[in-house]
Amino acid sequence: MKRFKYSVNTNTFRNKMTNAEIAALCKKTGADGIEWGLKTLETARADALEMKKLTEDAGMEILGFLNAGKMWQQDEMRRWSEAVAGCGGRTLRV
């Protein structure tokens, strides 16, 4: 029988917890992965790298990243995508 994998979307935690606290909570609850919400474009690359390390150190995988980008602004979306790709991210949900 195939085992389901469970992932946590971090949007509900972003304003109340640090990235390290979020990763620890997800691990404690038995999640297999995390879908990380990115706060700002200016810090996206550094945040994504930190999130990747925290997730992997906890033995989980990154399901993807999400942001509040504007699909009609191609340059902005390219910058969001480059930030995520720079840490090996596979998906960006807008």
Side-chain angles (χ1 to χ4, degrees), residues 67-72 76-77 80 93-94:
N67 69 5
K70 299 168 186 79
M71 290 294 294
W72 59 91
E76 180 180 319
M77 292 311 304
W80 278 109
R93 184 163 64 98
V94 181

Side-chain angles (χ1 to χ4, degrees), residues 5-16:
K5 289 189 173 188
Y6 296 93
S7 180
V8 175
N9 176 306
T10 64
N11 278 348
T12 59
F13 307 112
R14 300 297 303 145
N15 295 326
K16 297 178 183 172

Side-chain angles (χ1 to χ4, degrees), residues 18-37:
T18 67
N19 291 338
E21 291 170 333
I22 293 170
L25 176 64
C26 293
K27 179 68 177 176
K28 182 179 178 181
T29 62
D32 300 294
I34 303 175
E35 182 182 39
W36 285 104

